[in-house]
mmCIF file of all heavy atoms in Angstrom:
data_model
loop_
_atom_site.group_PDB
_atom_site.id
_atom_site.type_symbol
_atom_site.label_atom_id
_atom_site.label_comp_id
_atom_site.label_asym_id
_atom_site.label_seq_id
_atom_site.Cartn_x
_atom_site.Cartn_y
_atom_site.Cartn_z
ATOM 1 N N ASP A 149 2.182 -11.528 42.986
ATOM 2 C CA ASP A 149 0.777 -11.689 42.485
ATOM 3 C C ASP A 149 -0.222 -11.077 43.468
ATOM 4 O O ASP A 149 -1.265 -10.554 43.064
ATOM 5 C CB ASP A 149 0.463 -13.162 42.189
ATOM 6 C CG ASP A 149 1.246 -13.696 41.046
ATOM 7 O OD1 ASP A 149 1.474 -12.852 40.109
ATOM 8 O OD2 ASP A 149 1.522 -14.890 40.957
ATOM 9 N N VAL A 150 0.061 -11.197 44.756
ATOM 10 C CA VAL A 150 -0.832 -10.633 45.764
ATOM 11 C C VAL A 150 -0.778 -9.124 45.715
ATOM 12 O O VAL A 150 -1.831 -8.491 45.762
ATOM 13 C CB VAL A 150 -0.475 -11.127 47.141
ATOM 14 C CG1 VAL A 150 -1.261 -10.411 48.236
ATOM 15 C CG2 VAL A 150 -0.679 -12.628 47.306
ATOM 16 N N ALA A 153 -2.747 -7.988 42.671
ATOM 17 C CA ALA A 153 -4.219 -8.067 42.872
ATOM 18 C C ALA A 153 -4.658 -6.929 43.822
ATOM 19 O O ALA A 153 -5.711 -6.333 43.648
ATOM 20 C CB ALA A 153 -4.583 -9.422 43.394
ATOM 21 N N TYR A 154 -3.818 -6.633 44.817
ATOM 22 C CA TYR A 154 -4.106 -5.573 45.732
ATOM 23 C C TYR A 154 -4.210 -4.216 45.037
ATOM 24 O O TYR A 154 -5.204 -3.524 45.202
ATOM 25 C CB TYR A 154 -2.942 -5.511 46.816
ATOM 26 C CG TYR A 154 -2.939 -4.325 47.711
ATOM 27 C CD1 TYR A 154 -3.932 -4.061 48.680
ATOM 28 C CD2 TYR A 154 -1.839 -3.409 47.634
ATOM 29 C CE1 TYR A 154 -3.876 -2.964 49.459
ATOM 30 C CE2 TYR A 154 -1.801 -2.264 48.441
ATOM 31 C CZ TYR A 154 -2.764 -2.071 49.389
ATOM 32 O OH TYR A 154 -2.712 -0.990 50.226
ATOM 33 N N LEU B 87 -16.455 -12.526 50.805
ATOM 34 C CA LEU B 87 -15.777 -13.541 50.048
ATOM 35 C C LEU B 87 -16.282 -14.926 50.470
ATOM 36 O O LEU B 87 -15.995 -15.888 49.731
ATOM 37 C CB LEU B 87 -14.255 -13.425 50.274
ATOM 38 C CG LEU B 87 -13.598 -12.235 49.744
ATOM 39 C CD1 LEU B 87 -12.080 -12.356 50.002
ATOM 40 C CD2 LEU B 87 -13.860 -11.996 48.238
ATOM 41 N N LEU B 162 -13.741 -4.136 46.149
ATOM 42 C CA LEU B 162 -14.137 -5.580 46.300
ATOM 43 C C LEU B 162 -15.562 -5.764 45.795
ATOM 44 O O LEU B 162 -15.822 -6.741 45.081
ATOM 45 C CB LEU B 162 -14.009 -5.958 47.806
ATOM 46 C CG LEU B 162 -14.351 -7.403 48.115
ATOM 47 C CD1 LEU B 162 -13.339 -8.328 47.399
ATOM 48 C CD2 LEU B 162 -14.236 -7.624 49.646
ATOM 49 N N HIS B 165 -15.443 -5.632 42.093
ATOM 50 C CA HIS B 165 -14.777 -6.842 41.566
ATOM 51 C C HIS B 165 -15.778 -8.023 41.517
ATOM 52 O O HIS B 165 -15.853 -8.703 40.486
ATOM 53 C CB HIS B 165 -13.568 -7.159 42.546
ATOM 54 C CG HIS B 165 -12.782 -8.369 42.215
ATOM 55 N ND1 HIS B 165 -11.646 -8.297 41.439
ATOM 56 C CD2 HIS B 165 -12.950 -9.677 42.461
ATOM 57 C CE1 HIS B 165 -11.146 -9.475 41.283
ATOM 58 N NE2 HIS B 165 -11.937 -10.372 41.917
ATOM 59 N N LEU B 166 -16.441 -8.222 42.612
ATOM 60 C CA LEU B 166 -17.433 -9.331 42.679
ATOM 61 C C LEU B 166 -18.599 -9.055 41.709
ATOM 62 O O LEU B 166 -19.091 -10.020 41.102
ATOM 63 C CB LEU B 166 -17.915 -9.505 44.111
ATOM 64 C CG LEU B 166 -16.883 -9.943 45.127
ATOM 65 C CD1 LEU B 166 -17.468 -9.892 46.478
ATOM 66 C CD2 LEU B 166 -16.285 -11.298 44.808
ATOM 67 N N LEU B 170 -15.866 -11.387 38.737
ATOM 68 C CA LEU B 170 -14.509 -11.930 38.864
ATOM 69 C C LEU B 170 -14.406 -12.776 40.142
ATOM 70 O O LEU B 170 -15.110 -12.544 41.097
ATOM 71 C CB LEU B 170 -13.480 -10.777 38.944
ATOM 72 C CG LEU B 170 -13.478 -9.872 37.664
ATOM 73 C CD1 LEU B 170 -12.692 -8.635 37.921
ATOM 74 C CD2 LEU B 170 -12.867 -10.663 36.521
ATOM 75 N N PRO B 171 -13.490 -13.790 40.118
ATOM 76 C CA PRO B 171 -13.436 -14.662 41.309
ATOM 77 C C PRO B 171 -12.821 -13.973 42.516
ATOM 78 O O PRO B 171 -11.940 -13.136 42.427
ATOM 79 C CB PRO B 171 -12.484 -15.775 40.789
ATOM 80 C CG PRO B 171 -11.668 -15.145 39.764
ATOM 81 C CD PRO B 171 -12.501 -14.135 39.070
ATOM 82 N N GLY B 172 -13.381 -14.321 43.673
ATOM 83 C CA GLY B 172 -12.860 -13.674 44.897
ATOM 84 C C GLY B 172 -12.047 -14.652 45.750
ATOM 85 O O GLY B 172 -11.493 -14.257 46.771
ATOM 86 N N ASP B 173 -11.897 -15.894 45.319
ATOM 87 C CA ASP B 173 -11.329 -16.856 46.178
ATOM 88 C C ASP B 173 -9.792 -16.729 46.393
ATOM 89 O O ASP B 173 -9.251 -17.292 47.301
ATOM 90 C CB ASP B 173 -11.644 -18.290 45.723
ATOM 91 C CG ASP B 173 -11.519 -18.459 44.269
ATOM 92 O OD1 ASP B 173 -11.024 -17.552 43.585
ATOM 93 O OD2 ASP B 173 -11.863 -19.558 43.716
ATOM 94 N N ASP B 174 -9.127 -15.869 45.551
ATOM 95 C CA ASP B 174 -7.729 -15.693 45.796
ATOM 96 C C ASP B 174 -7.428 -14.305 46.432
ATOM 97 O O ASP B 174 -6.292 -13.834 46.485
ATOM 98 C CB ASP B 174 -6.949 -15.770 44.471
ATOM 99 C CG ASP B 174 -7.484 -14.836 43.415
ATOM 100 O OD1 ASP B 174 -8.555 -14.270 43.637
ATOM 101 O OD2 ASP B 174 -6.798 -14.637 42.383
ATOM 102 N N LEU B 175 -8.474 -13.705 46.997
ATOM 103 C CA LEU B 175 -8.297 -12.316 47.541
ATOM 104 C C LEU B 175 -8.008 -12.384 49.082
ATOM 105 O O LEU B 175 -7.757 -11.335 49.684
ATOM 106 C CB LEU B 175 -9.501 -11.475 47.193
ATOM 107 C CG LEU B 175 -9.624 -11.086 45.729
ATOM 108 C CD1 LEU B 175 -10.821 -10.193 45.525
ATOM 109 C CD2 LEU B 175 -8.377 -10.326 45.254
ATOM 110 N N GLY B 176 -8.043 -13.524 49.720
ATOM 111 C CA GLY B 176 -7.748 -13.620 51.137
ATOM 112 C C GLY B 176 -6.428 -12.958 51.475
ATOM 113 O O GLY B 176 -6.391 -12.086 52.354
ATOM 114 N N PRO B 177 -5.331 -13.315 50.796
ATOM 115 C CA PRO B 177 -4.032 -12.695 51.088
ATOM 116 C C PRO B 177 -4.011 -11.205 50.872
ATOM 117 O O PRO B 177 -3.255 -10.471 51.531
ATOM 118 C CB PRO B 177 -3.084 -13.445 50.144
ATOM 119 C CG PRO B 177 -3.762 -14.695 49.823
ATOM 120 C CD PRO B 177 -5.219 -14.413 49.790
ATOM 121 N N VAL B 178 -4.831 -10.751 49.879
ATOM 122 C CA VAL B 178 -4.887 -9.286 49.641
ATOM 123 C C VAL B 178 -5.466 -8.600 50.866
ATOM 124 O O VAL B 178 -5.018 -7.581 51.316
ATOM 125 C CB VAL B 178 -5.706 -9.044 48.382
ATOM 126 C CG1 VAL B 178 -5.993 -7.483 48.254
ATOM 127 C CG2 VAL B 178 -4.998 -9.544 47.150
ATOM 128 N N LEU B 179 -6.580 -9.179 51.387
ATOM 129 C CA LEU B 179 -7.165 -8.599 52.636
ATOM 130 C C LEU B 179 -6.286 -8.718 53.813
ATOM 131 O O LEU B 179 -6.307 -7.787 54.651
ATOM 132 C CB LEU B 179 -8.547 -9.283 52.909
ATOM 133 C CG LEU B 179 -9.573 -9.063 51.782
ATOM 134 C CD1 LEU B 179 -10.954 -9.649 52.237
ATOM 135 C CD2 LEU B 179 -9.802 -7.591 51.448
ATOM 136 N N ASP B 180 -5.425 -9.742 53.903
ATOM 137 C CA ASP B 180 -4.431 -9.778 54.935
ATOM 138 C C ASP B 180 -3.496 -8.582 54.880
ATOM 139 O O ASP B 180 -3.183 -7.918 55.879
ATOM 140 C CB ASP B 180 -3.559 -11.059 54.827
ATOM 141 C CG ASP B 180 -4.356 -12.354 55.079
ATOM 142 O OD1 ASP B 180 -5.454 -12.267 55.751
ATOM 143 O OD2 ASP B 180 -3.900 -13.411 54.668
#
Side-chain angles (χ1 to χ4, degrees):
Chain A
D149 289 330
V150 173
Y154 167 69
Chain B
L87 295 182
L162 183 62
H165 181 94
L166 296 173
L170 297 170
D173 44 6
D174 56 347
L175 290 180
V178 172
L179 296 185
D180 293 341

